[in-house]
CSV table of all heavy atoms in Angstrom, one decimal:
chain,number,residue,atom,x,y,z
A,1504,SER,N,96.9,117.3,129.9
A,1504,SER,CA,97.4,116.5,131.0
A,1504,SER,C,98.7,115.7,130.6
A,1504,SER,O,98.9,115.5,129.4
A,1504,SER,CB,96.4,115.6,131.6
A,1504,SER,OG,96.1,114.5,130.6
A,1505,LEU,N,99.4,115.2,131.6
A,1505,LEU,CA,100.6,114.4,131.3
A,1505,LEU,C,100.3,113.2,130.5
A,1505,LEU,O,101.0,112.9,129.6
A,1505,LEU,CB,101.3,114.1,132.6
A,1505,LEU,CG,102.6,113.3,132.5
A,1505,LEU,CD1,103.6,114.2,131.8
A,1505,LEU,CD2,103.1,112.8,133.8
A,1506,GLN,N,99.2,112.6,130.8
A,1506,GLN,CA,98.8,111.3,130.1
A,1506,GLN,C,98.5,111.7,128.6
A,1506,GLN,O,98.9,110.9,127.7
A,1506,GLN,CB,97.6,110.7,130.7
A,1506,GLN,CG,97.3,109.3,130.1
A,1506,GLN,CD,98.4,108.3,130.3
A,1506,GLN,OE1,99.1,108.3,131.3
A,1506,GLN,NE2,98.7,107.6,129.3
A,1507,GLU,N,97.9,112.8,128.3
A,1507,GLU,CA,97.6,113.2,126.9
A,1507,GLU,C,98.9,113.5,126.2
A,1507,GLU,O,99.1,113.2,125.0
A,1507,GLU,CB,96.7,114.4,126.9
A,1507,GLU,CG,95.3,114.1,127.4
A,1507,GLU,CD,94.4,115.4,127.5
A,1507,GLU,OE1,95.0,116.5,127.6
A,1507,GLU,OE2,93.2,115.3,127.6
A,1508,ILE,N,99.8,114.1,126.9
A,1508,ILE,CA,101.1,114.4,126.3
A,1508,ILE,C,101.9,113.1,126.0
A,1508,ILE,O,102.4,113.0,124.9
A,1508,ILE,CB,102.0,115.3,127.3
A,1508,ILE,CG1,101.3,116.7,127.4
A,1508,ILE,CG2,103.4,115.5,126.7
A,1508,ILE,CD1,101.9,117.5,128.6
A,1509,ILE,N,101.9,112.2,126.9
A,1509,ILE,CA,102.5,110.9,126.6
A,1509,ILE,C,101.9,110.2,125.5
A,1509,ILE,O,102.6,109.6,124.6
A,1509,ILE,CB,102.5,110.0,127.9
A,1509,ILE,CG1,103.5,110.7,129.0
A,1509,ILE,CG2,102.9,108.6,127.6
A,1509,ILE,CD1,103.4,110.1,130.3
A,1510,ASN,N,100.5,110.2,125.4
A,1510,ASN,CA,99.8,109.5,124.3
A,1510,ASN,C,100.2,110.2,123.0
A,1510,ASN,O,100.4,109.5,122.0
A,1510,ASN,CB,98.3,109.6,124.5
A,1510,ASN,CG,97.9,108.6,125.6
A,1510,ASN,OD1,98.6,107.7,126.0
A,1510,ASN,ND2,96.7,108.9,126.2
A,1511,GLU,N,100.3,111.5,123.0
A,1511,GLU,CA,100.7,112.2,121.7
A,1511,GLU,C,102.1,111.8,121.3
A,1511,GLU,O,102.4,111.6,120.1
A,1511,GLU,CB,100.6,113.7,121.9
A,1511,GLU,CG,100.7,114.5,120.6
A,1511,GLU,CD,100.3,115.9,120.8
A,1511,GLU,OE1,99.6,116.3,121.8
A,1511,GLU,OE2,100.8,116.7,120.0
A,1512,LEU,N,103.0,111.7,122.3
A,1512,LEU,CA,104.4,111.3,122.0
A,1512,LEU,C,104.4,109.9,121.4
A,1512,LEU,O,105.2,109.6,120.4
A,1512,LEU,CB,105.3,111.3,123.2
A,1512,LEU,CG,105.7,112.7,123.7
A,1512,LEU,CD1,106.4,112.6,125.1
A,1512,LEU,CD2,106.6,113.4,122.7
A,1513,GLU,N,103.6,109.0,121.9
A,1513,GLU,CA,103.5,107.6,121.4
A,1513,GLU,C,103.0,107.6,120.0
A,1513,GLU,O,103.4,106.8,119.1
A,1513,GLU,CB,102.7,106.7,122.3
A,1513,GLU,CG,103.4,106.4,123.6
A,1513,GLU,CD,102.6,105.7,124.7
A,1513,GLU,OE1,101.4,105.5,124.4
A,1513,GLU,OE2,103.1,105.3,125.7
A,1514,ASP,N,102.0,108.4,119.7
A,1514,ASP,CA,101.4,108.5,118.4
A,1514,ASP,C,102.5,109.0,117.4
A,1514,ASP,O,102.6,108.5,116.3
A,1514,ASP,CB,100.2,109.5,118.4
A,1514,ASP,CG,99.0,108.9,119.1
A,1514,ASP,OD1,99.0,107.7,119.4
A,1514,ASP,OD2,98.1,109.7,119.4
A,1515,TYR,N,103.2,110.0,117.8
A,1515,TYR,CA,104.3,110.5,117.0
A,1515,TYR,C,105.3,109.4,116.7
A,1515,TYR,O,105.9,109.3,115.6
A,1515,TYR,CB,105.0,111.7,117.6
A,1515,TYR,CG,104.2,113.0,117.5
A,1515,TYR,CD1,104.3,113.9,118.6
A,1515,TYR,CD2,103.4,113.3,116.4
A,1515,TYR,CE1,103.5,115.1,118.5
A,1515,TYR,CE2,102.7,114.5,116.4
A,1515,TYR,CZ,102.8,115.4,117.4
A,1515,TYR,OH,102.1,116.6,117.4
A,1516,ALA,N,105.6,108.6,117.7
A,1516,ALA,CA,106.6,107.5,117.5
A,1516,ALA,C,106.1,106.5,116.5
A,1516,ALA,O,106.9,106.0,115.7
A,1516,ALA,CB,106.9,106.9,118.8
A,1517,ILE,N,104.8,106.2,116.5
A,1517,ILE,CA,104.2,105.3,115.6
A,1517,ILE,C,104.3,105.8,114.2
A,1517,ILE,O,104.7,105.1,113.2
A,1517,ILE,CB,102.8,104.9,116.0
A,1517,ILE,CG1,102.7,104.1,117.3
A,1517,ILE,CG2,102.1,104.2,114.9
A,1517,ILE,CD1,101.4,104.0,117.9
A,1518,VAL,N,104.0,107.1,114.0
A,1518,VAL,CA,104.0,107.7,112.7
A,1518,VAL,C,105.5,107.7,112.2
A,1518,VAL,O,105.7,107.4,111.0
A,1518,VAL,CB,103.4,109.1,112.7
A,1518,VAL,CG1,103.7,109.9,111.4
A,1518,VAL,CG2,101.9,109.1,113.0
A,1519,HIS,N,106.4,108.1,113.0
A,1519,HIS,CA,107.8,108.1,112.6
A,1519,HIS,C,108.3,106.7,112.2
A,1519,HIS,O,109.0,106.6,111.2
A,1519,HIS,CB,108.6,108.6,113.8
A,1519,HIS,CG,110.1,108.8,113.5
A,1519,HIS,ND1,111.0,107.8,113.7
A,1519,HIS,CD2,110.8,109.8,112.9
A,1519,HIS,CE1,112.2,108.1,113.3
A,1519,HIS,NE2,112.1,109.3,112.8
A,1520,GLN,N,107.9,105.7,112.9
A,1520,GLN,CA,108.3,104.3,112.6
A,1520,GLN,C,107.7,103.9,111.3
A,1520,GLN,O,108.4,103.3,110.5
A,1520,GLN,CB,107.8,103.4,113.7
A,1520,GLN,CG,108.3,102.0,113.5
A,1520,GLN,CD,109.8,101.8,113.5
A,1520,GLN,OE1,110.5,102.5,114.3
A,1520,GLN,NE2,110.3,101.0,112.6
A,1521,SER,N,106.5,104.3,111.0
A,1521,SER,CA,105.9,103.9,109.7
A,1521,SER,C,106.5,104.6,108.5
A,1521,SER,O,106.7,104.0,107.5
A,1521,SER,CB,104.3,104.1,109.7
A,1521,SER,OG,104.1,105.5,109.8
A,1522,ILE,N,106.9,105.8,108.7
A,1522,ILE,CA,107.6,106.6,107.7
A,1522,ILE,C,108.9,106.0,107.4
A,1522,ILE,O,109.4,105.8,106.3
A,1522,ILE,CB,107.7,108.1,108.1
A,1522,ILE,CG1,106.3,108.7,108.0
A,1522,ILE,CG2,108.7,108.8,107.1
A,1522,ILE,CD1,106.3,110.2,108.5
A,1523,SER,N,109.6,105.6,108.5
A,1523,SER,CA,111.0,105.0,108.4
A,1523,SER,C,110.8,103.6,107.6
A,1523,SER,O,111.7,103.3,106.8
A,1523,SER,CB,111.6,104.8,109.7
A,1523,SER,OG,111.8,106.0,110.3
A,1524,ASP,N,109.8,102.9,108.0
A,1524,ASP,CA,109.6,101.6,107.3
A,1524,ASP,C,109.3,101.8,105.8
A,1524,ASP,O,109.8,101.0,105.0
A,1524,ASP,CB,108.5,100.8,108.0
A,1524,ASP,CG,108.8,100.3,109.4
A,1524,ASP,OD1,110.0,100.3,109.7
A,1524,ASP,OD2,107.9,99.9,110.1
A,1525,GLU,N,108.5,102.8,105.5
A,1525,GLU,CA,108.2,103.0,104.1
A,1525,GLU,C,109.4,103.4,103.3
A,1525,GLU,O,109.6,103.1,102.2
A,1525,GLU,CB,107.1,104.1,104.0
A,1525,GLU,CG,106.5,104.3,102.7
A,1525,GLU,CD,105.7,103.0,102.3
A,1525,GLU,OE1,105.1,102.4,103.1
A,1525,GLU,OE2,105.7,102.7,101.0
A,1526,ARG,N,110.3,104.2,103.9
A,1526,ARG,CA,111.5,104.6,103.3
A,1526,ARG,C,112.5,103.5,103.1
A,1526,ARG,O,113.3,103.5,102.1
A,1526,ARG,CB,112.2,105.7,104.1
A,1526,ARG,CG,111.6,107.1,103.9
A,1526,ARG,CD,112.3,108.1,104.7
A,1526,ARG,NE,111.6,109.4,104.6
A,1526,ARG,CZ,111.9,110.4,105.3
A,1526,ARG,NH1,113.0,110.4,106.2
A,1526,ARG,NH2,111.3,111.5,105.2
A,1527,ALA,N,112.4,102.5,103.9
A,1527,ALA,CA,113.3,101.4,103.8
A,1527,ALA,C,113.0,100.4,102.7
A,1527,ALA,O,113.8,99.7,102.2
A,1527,ALA,CB,113.4,100.6,105.2
A,1528,LYS,N,111.8,100.5,102.2
A,1528,LYS,CA,111.4,99.6,101.1
A,1528,LYS,C,112.0,100.0,99.8
A,1528,LYS,O,112.2,101.2,99.6
A,1528,LYS,CB,109.8,99.7,100.9
A,1528,LYS,CG,109.0,99.0,102.0
A,1528,LYS,CD,107.6,99.0,101.7
A,1528,LYS,CE,106.7,98.4,102.7
A,1528,LYS,NZ,105.3,98.5,102.5
A,1529,PRO,N,112.4,99.1,99.0
A,1529,PRO,CA,113.0,99.4,97.7
A,1529,PRO,C,112.0,100.1,96.9
A,1529,PRO,O,110.9,99.7,96.8
A,1529,PRO,CB,113.5,98.1,97.1
A,1529,PRO,CG,113.1,97.1,98.1
A,1529,PRO,CD,112.4,97.7,99.3
A,1530,LYS,N,112.4,101.2,96.2
A,1530,LYS,CA,111.5,102.0,95.4
A,1530,LYS,C,111.4,101.5,94.0
A,1530,LYS,O,110.5,101.7,93.2
A,1530,LYS,CB,111.9,103.4,95.4
A,1530,LYS,CG,111.8,104.1,96.7
A,1530,LYS,CD,112.2,105.5,96.7
A,1530,LYS,CE,112.1,106.1,98.1
A,1530,LYS,NZ,112.5,107.4,98.3
A,1531,ASN,N,112.4,100.7,93.5
A,1531,ASN,CA,112.4,100.2,92.1
A,1531,ASN,C,112.0,98.8,92.1
A,1531,ASN,O,112.8,97.9,91.7
A,1531,ASN,CB,113.8,100.4,91.5
A,1531,ASN,CG,114.2,101.9,91.5
A,1531,ASN,OD1,113.4,102.8,91.3
A,1531,ASN,ND2,115.5,102.2,91.8
A,1532,GLN,N,110.8,98.5,92.4
A,1532,GLN,CA,110.3,97.1,92.4
A,1532,GLN,C,110.3,96.5,91.1
A,1532,GLN,O,110.6,95.3,90.9
A,1532,GLN,CB,108.8,97.1,92.9
A,1532,GLN,CG,108.6,97.7,94.3
A,1532,GLN,CD,109.2,96.9,95.4
A,1532,GLN,OE1,109.4,95.7,95.2
A,1532,GLN,NE2,109.5,97.5,96.5
A,1533,LEU,N,110.0,97.2,90.0
A,1533,LEU,CA,110.1,96.7,88.7
A,1533,LEU,C,111.5,96.3,88.2
A,1533,LEU,O,111.7,95.2,87.6
A,1533,LEU,CB,109.5,97.7,87.7
A,1533,LEU,CG,109.3,97.2,86.2
A,1533,LEU,CD1,108.4,96.0,86.2
A,1533,LEU,CD2,108.8,98.3,85.4
A,1534,ILE,N,112.4,97.1,88.6
A,1534,ILE,CA,113.8,96.8,88.2
A,1534,ILE,C,114.3,95.5,89.0
A,1534,ILE,O,114.9,94.6,88.4
A,1534,ILE,CB,114.8,98.0,88.6
A,1534,ILE,CG1,114.4,99.1,87.6
A,1534,ILE,CG2,116.2,97.6,88.4
A,1534,ILE,CD1,115.2,100.4,88.0
A,1535,ILE,N,113.9,95.4,90.2
A,1535,ILE,CA,114.3,94.2,91.0
A,1535,ILE,C,113.6,93.0,90.4
A,1535,ILE,O,114.2,91.9,90.3
A,1535,ILE,CB,113.9,94.4,92.5
A,1535,ILE,CG1,114.7,95.5,93.1
A,1535,ILE,CG2,114.0,93.1,93.3
A,1535,ILE,CD1,114.3,96.0,94.5
A,1536,ALA,N,112.3,93.1,90.1
A,1536,ALA,CA,111.6,91.9,89.4
A,1536,ALA,C,112.3,91.5,88.1
A,1536,ALA,O,112.5,90.3,87.8
A,1536,ALA,CB,110.2,92.3,89.2
A,1537,CYS,N,112.7,92.5,87.3
A,1537,CYS,CA,113.4,92.2,86.1
A,1537,CYS,C,114.8,91.5,86.3
A,1537,CYS,O,115.2,90.6,85.5
A,1537,CYS,CB,113.6,93.5,85.2
A,1537,CYS,SG,112.0,94.1,84.5
A,1538,CYS,N,115.4,91.9,87.4
A,1538,CYS,CA,116.7,91.3,87.7
A,1538,CYS,C,116.5,89.8,88.1
A,1538,CYS,O,117.3,89.0,87.7
A,1538,CYS,CB,117.4,92.0,88.8
A,1538,CYS,SG,118.1,93.6,88.3
A,1539,TYR,N,115.5,89.6,88.8
A,1539,TYR,CA,115.2,88.2,89.2
A,1539,TYR,C,114.8,87.4,87.9
A,1539,TYR,O,115.2,86.2,87.7
A,1539,TYR,CB,114.0,88.1,90.2
A,1539,TYR,CG,114.5,88.1,91.6
A,1539,TYR,CD1,114.7,89.4,92.2
A,1539,TYR,CD2,114.7,87.0,92.3
A,1539,TYR,CE1,115.1,89.4,93.5
A,1539,TYR,CE2,115.1,87.0,93.6
A,1539,TYR,CZ,115.3,88.2,94.2
A,1539,TYR,OH,115.7,88.3,95.5
A,1540,GLY,N,114.1,88.0,87.0
A,1540,GLY,CA,113.7,87.4,85.7
A,1540,GLY,C,115.0,87.1,84.9
A,1540,GLY,O,115.1,86.0,84.4
A,1541,CYS,N,115.9,88.0,84.9
A,1541,CYS,CA,117.2,87.7,84.1
A,1541,CYS,C,118.0,86.6,84.8
A,1541,CYS,O,118.5,85.8,84.1
A,1541,CYS,CB,118.0,89.0,84.1
A,1541,CYS,SG,117.3,90.3,83.0
A,1542,LEU,N,118.0,86.6,86.1
A,1542,LEU,CA,118.7,85.5,86.8
A,1542,LEU,C,118.1,84.2,86.4
A,1542,LEU,O,118.9,83.2,86.1
A,1542,LEU,CB,118.7,85.8,88.3
A,1542,LEU,CG,119.2,84.6,89.2
A,1542,LEU,CD1,120.7,84.5,89.1
A,1542,LEU,CD2,118.7,84.8,90.6
A,1543,TRP,N,116.8,84.0,86.6
A,1543,TRP,CA,116.2,82.7,86.3
A,1543,TRP,C,116.2,82.4,84.8
A,1543,TRP,O,116.4,81.2,84.5
A,1543,TRP,CB,114.8,82.7,86.8
A,1543,TRP,CG,114.8,82.5,88.3
A,1543,TRP,CD1,114.6,83.4,89.3
A,1543,TRP,CD2,115.1,81.2,89.0
A,1543,TRP,NE1,114.7,82.8,90.5
A,1543,TRP,CE2,115.1,81.5,90.4
A,1543,TRP,CE3,115.5,80.0,88.6
A,1543,TRP,CZ2,115.3,80.5,91.3
A,1543,TRP,CZ3,115.7,79.0,89.5
A,1543,TRP,CH2,115.7,79.3,90.9
A,1544,GLY,N,116.1,83.4,84.0
A,1544,GLY,CA,116.3,83.1,82.5
A,1544,GLY,C,117.7,82.6,82.2
A,1544,GLY,O,117.8,81.7,81.4
A,1545,ALA,N,118.7,83.2,82.8
A,1545,ALA,CA,120.1,82.7,82.6
A,1545,ALA,C,120.3,81.3,83.1
A,1545,ALA,O,120.9,80.4,82.4
A,1545,ALA,CB,121.1,83.7,83.2
A,1546,VAL,N,119.8,81.0,84.3
A,1546,VAL,CA,120.0,79.7,84.9
A,1546,VAL,C,119.3,78.6,84.1
A,1546,VAL,O,119.9,77.6,83.7
A,1546,VAL,CB,119.5,79.7,86.4
A,1546,VAL,CG1,119.4,78.3,86.9
A,1546,VAL,CG2,120.3,80.6,87.3
A,1547,ILE,N,118.1,78.9,83.7
A,1547,ILE,CA,117.3,77.9,82.9
A,1547,ILE,C,117.9,77.8,81.5
A,1547,ILE,O,118.0,76.7,80.9
A,1547,ILE,CB,115.8,78.2,83.0
A,1547,ILE,CG1,115.3,78.0,84.4
A,1547,ILE,CG2,115.0,77.4,82.0
A,1547,ILE,CD1,113.8,78.4,84.6
A,1548,GLY,N,118.3,78.9,81.0
A,1548,GLY,CA,118.9,78.9,79.6
A,1548,GLY,C,120.2,78.1,79.6
A,1548,GLY,O,120.4,77.3,78.7
A,1549,ILE,N,121.0,78.2,80.6
A,1549,ILE,CA,122.3,77.5,80.6
A,1549,ILE,C,122.0,76.0,80.8
A,1549,ILE,O,122.6,75.1,80.2
A,1549,ILE,CB,123.2,78.0,81.8
A,1549,ILE,CG1,123.7,79.4,81.4
A,1549,ILE,CG2,124.4,77.0,82.0
A,1549,ILE,CD1,124.5,80.1,82.5
A,1550,ALA,N,121.0,75.7,81.7
A,1550,ALA,CA,120.7,74.3,81.9
A,1550,ALA,C,120.1,73.7,80.6
A,1550,ALA,O,120.5,72.5,80.3
A,1550,ALA,CB,119.7,74.1,83.1
A,1551,THR,N,119.3,74.4,79.9
A,1551,THR,CA,118.7,73.9,78.7
A,1551,THR,C,119.7,73.8,77.6
A,1551,THR,O,119.6,72.9,76.7
A,1551,THR,CB,117.6,74.8,78.2
A,1551,THR,OG1,116.7,75.0,79.3
A,1551,THR,CG2,116.8,74.3,77.1
A,1552,LEU,N,120.7,74.6,77.6
A,1552,LEU,CA,121.8,74.6,76.6
A,1552,LEU,C,122.5,73.2,76.6
A,1552,LEU,O,122.8,72.7,75.5
A,1552,LEU,CB,122.8,75.7,76.8
A,1552,LEU,CG,123.9,76.0,75.8
A,1552,LEU,CD1,123.2,76.4,74.5
A,1552,LEU,CD2,124.8,77.0,76.2
A,1553,PHE,N,122.7,72.6,77.7
A,1553,PHE,CA,123.3,71.3,77.8
A,1553,PHE,C,122.4,70.2,77.5
A,1553,PHE,O,122.8,69.1,77.0
A,1553,PHE,CB,123.9,71.1,79.2
A,1553,PHE,CG,125.1,72.1,79.5
A,1553,PHE,CD1,125.0,73.0,80.4
A,1553,PHE,CD2,126.2,72.0,78.7
A,1553,PHE,CE1,126.0,73.9,80.7
A,1553,PHE,CE2,127.3,72.9,79.0
A,1553,PHE,CZ,127.2,73.8,79.9
A,1554,ILE,N,121.1,70.4,77.8
A,1554,ILE,CA,120.1,69.3,77.6
A,1554,ILE,C,119.6,69.3,76.2
A,1554,ILE,O,119.6,68.2,75.5
A,1554,ILE,CB,119.0,69.4,78.6
A,1554,ILE,CG1,119.6,69.3,80.0
A,1554,ILE,CG2,117.9,68.3,78.4
A,1554,ILE,CD1,118.6,69.6,81.2
A,1555,LYS,N,118.9,70.4,75.7
A,1555,LYS,CA,118.3,70.5,74.4
A,1555,LYS,C,118.7,71.9,73.8
A,1555,LYS,O,118.0,72.8,74.0
A,1555,LYS,CB,116.8,70.3,74.5
A,1555,LYS,CG,116.3,69.0,74.4
A,1555,LYS,CD,114.8,69.0,74.1
A,1555,LYS,CE,114.5,67.7,73.4
A,1555,LYS,NZ,113.1,67.6,73.1
A,1556,PRO,N,119.8,72.0,73.1
A,1556,PRO,CA,120.2,73.3,72.6
A,1556,PRO,C,119.2,74.0,71.7
A,1556,PRO,O,119.2,75.2,71.6
A,1556,PRO,CB,121.5,73.0,71.9
A,1556,PRO,CG,121.9,71.7,72.4
A,1556,PRO,CD,120.7,70.9,72.8
A,1557,ASN,N,118.4,73.2,71.0
A,1557,ASN,CA,117.5,73.9,70.0
A,1557,ASN,C,116.3,74.6,70.7
A,1557,ASN,O,115.7,75.4,70.0
A,1557,ASN,CB,117.0,72.8,69.0
A,1557,ASN,CG,116.3,71.7,69.7
A,1557,ASN,OD1,116.4,71.4,70.9
A,1557,ASN,ND2,115.4,70.9,69.0
A,1558,ILE,N,116.1,74.5,71.9
A,1558,ILE,CA,115.0,75.2,72.6
A,1558,ILE,C,115.5,76.2,73.7
A,1558,ILE,O,114.7,76.6,74.5
A,1558,ILE,CB,113.9,74.2,73.2
A,1558,ILE,CG1,114.5,73.3,74.3
A,1558,ILE,CG2,113.2,73.4,72.1
A,1558,ILE,CD1,113.5,72.6,75.1
A,1559,THR,N,116.7,76.5,73.6
A,1559,THR,CA,117.3,77.4,74.6
A,1559,THR,C,116.7,78.8,74.7
A,1559,THR,O,116.4,79.3,75.7
A,1559,THR,CB,118.8,77.5,74.3
A,1559,THR,OG1,119.4,76.2,74.3
A,1559,THR,CG2,119.5,78.4,75.4
A,1560,VAL,N,116.4,79.3,73.5
A,1560,VAL,CA,115.8,80.7,73.5
A,1560,VAL,C,114.4,80.7,74.2
A,1560,VAL,O,114.1,81.5,75.0
A,1560,VAL,CB,115.7,81.2,72.0
A,1560,VAL,CG1,114.9,82.5,72.0
A,1560,VAL,CG2,117.1,81.4,71.4
A,1561,ALA,N,113.6,79.7,73.9
A,1561,ALA,CA,112.3,79.6,74.5
A,1561,ALA,C,112.4,79.3,76.0
A,1561,ALA,O,111.7,79.9,76.8
A,1561,ALA,CB,111.5,78.4,73.9
A,1562,ALA,N,113.4,78.5,76.4
A,1562,ALA,CA,113.6,78.3,77.8
A,1562,ALA,C,114.1,79.6,78.6
A,1562,ALA,O,113.6,79.8,79.7
A,1562,ALA,CB,114.7,77.2,78.0
A,1563,ILE,N,114.9,80.4,77.9
A,1563,ILE,CA,115.3,81.6,78.5
A,1563,ILE,C,114.1,82.5,78.7
A,1563,ILE,O,113.9,83.2,79.8
A,1563,ILE,CB,116.4,82.3,77.7
A,1563,ILE,CG1,117.7,81.6,77.7
A,1563,ILE,CG2,116.6,83.8,78.1
A,1563,ILE,CD1,118.7,82.1,76.8
A,1564,GLY,N,113.2,82.6,77.7
A,1564,GLY,CA,112.0,83.4,77.9
A,1564,GLY,C,111.1,82.9,79.0
A,1564,GLY,O,110.6,83.7,79.8
A,1565,LEU,N,110.9,81.6,79.1
A,1565,LEU,CA,110.1,81.0,80.2
A,1565,LEU,C,110.8,81.2,81.5
A,1565,LEU,O,110.1,81.5,82.5
A,1565,LEU,CB,109.9,79.5,79.9
A,1565,LEU,CG,108.9,79.2,78.7
A,1565,LEU,CD1,108.9,77.7,78.5
A,1565,LEU,CD2,107.5,79.7,79.0
A,1566,GLY,N,112.1,81.1,81.6
A,1566,GLY,CA,112.8,81.4,82.8
A,1566,GLY,C,112.6,82.8,83.3
A,1566,GLY,O,112.4,83.1,84.5
A,1567,PHE,N,112.7,83.7,82.4
A,1567,PHE,CA,112.6,85.2,82.7
A,1567,PHE,C,111.2,85.4,83.2
A,1567,PHE,O,111.0,86.0,84.3
A,1567,PHE,CB,112.8,86.0,81.4
A,1567,PHE,CG,112.6,87.5,81.7
A,1567,PHE,CD1,113.6,88.2,82.3
A,1567,PHE,CD2,111.4,88.1,81.4
A,1567,PHE,CE1,113.5,89.6,82.5
A,1567,PHE,CE2,111.2,89.5,81.7
A,1567,PHE,CZ,112.3,90.2,82.2
A,1568,THR,N,110.2,84.8,82.5
A,1568,THR,CA,108.8,85.0,83.0
A,1568,THR,C,108.6,84.4,84.4
A,1568,THR,O,107.9,85.0,85.2
A,1568,THR,CB,107.8,84.4,82.0
A,1568,THR,OG1,108.1,84.9,80.7
A,1568,THR,CG2,106.4,84.6,82.3
Side-chain angles (χ1 to χ4, degrees):
S1504 69
L1505 182 64
Q1506 190 59 41
E1507 291 171 344
I1508 295 169
I1509 290 173
N1510 288 341
E1511 190 172 339
L1512 286 173
E1513 289 172 354
D1514 292 344
Y1515 286 144
I1517 292 169
V1518 170
H1519 182 267
Q1520 183 64 37
S1521 66
I1522 289 171
S1523 297
D1524 291 345
E1525 193 63 35
R1526 286 184 183 168
K1528 289 182 181 177
K1530 295 181 180 177
N1531 299 324
Q1532 302 290 337
L1533 184 59
I1534 293 173
I1535 293 170
C1537 287
C1538 289
Y1539 271 85
C1541 290
L1542 170 72
W1543 282 104
V1546 168
I1547 292 175
I1549 291 170
T1551 307
L1552 188 62
F1553 293 115
I1554 299 169
K1555 270 195 157 181
N1557 57 340
I1558 60 165
T1559 302
V1560 175
I1563 291 172
L1565 289 173
F1567 179 82
T1568 305

